[in-house]
Amino acid sequence: MCYEDETEDYYEMLDKQSEEDELISFISALFEYSAELEEQVIELRRTVNELSDKERLPFPDLEGDIYQVFDDFSAYRKYQTLIEERIEWNKTHPISEIMKWL
């Protein structure tokens, strides 16, 4: 194998790793966004309950039917640890708001 072939293989490997990193970032951003939407739905339901008849609340269980579980997807199982690490890092890393989605 010549030097050019090794260099080409190396750059192909870097491209594949970059694509995988982007995929993990994308999935993490979707998880975080869905969590934010869930919080908004719960808050809206709480507000509707406060404005409604206390004897017949429209949403007696604020959270009961809005959560989605993704562990039946093989991609989730494959990337679960990396996704959870990325989300945890985003929560604790003291950088700009823009960077939290990367």
Side-chain angles (χ1 to χ4, degrees):
M1 183 179 266
C2 67
Y3 177 75
E4 290 82 20
D5 290 341
E6 289 179 9
T7 303
E8 186 176 321
D9 289 345
Y10 174 75
Y11 284 113
E12 285 179 17
M13 181 193 67
L14 285 179
D15 286 343
K16 286 180 183 176
Q17 184 62 45
S18 177
E19 289 174 12
E20 185 130 329
D21 287 345
E22 287 180 21
L23 176 63
I24 293 167
S25 292
F26 174 67
I27 293 169
S28 298
L30 288 175
F31 270 98
E32 290 176 332
Y33 182 67
S34 69
E36 289 177 16
L37 290 177
E38 289 168 353
E39 290 173 16
Q40 290 176 10
V41 168
I42 291 168
E43 191 56 40
L44 286 171
R45 288 178 173 186
R46 184 174 286 119
T47 301
V48 169
N49 279 350
E50 289 171 1
L51 298 172
S52 299
D53 178 12
K54 302 301 181 217
E55 293 178 15
R56 280 190 37 201
L57 293 176
F59 301 104
D61 181 9
L62 297 177
E63 303 172 356
D65 63 346
I66 63 171
Y67 293 109
Q68 175 68 37
V69 178
F70 297 97
D71 53 2
D72 56 331
F73 290 87
S74 61
Y76 178 79
R77 290 189 300 273
K78 178 180 178 181
Y79 296 110
Q80 180 178 5
T81 302
L82 294 172
I83 292 167
E84 290 169 354
E85 287 173 1
R86 184 76 51 97
I87 289 172
E88 189 58 36
W89 183 87
N90 287 346
K91 288 179 183 175
T92 60
H93 201 273
I95 57 177
S96 72
E97 281 294 305
I98 294 170
M99 292 299 289
K100 83 175 193 174
W101 297 105
L102 299 178

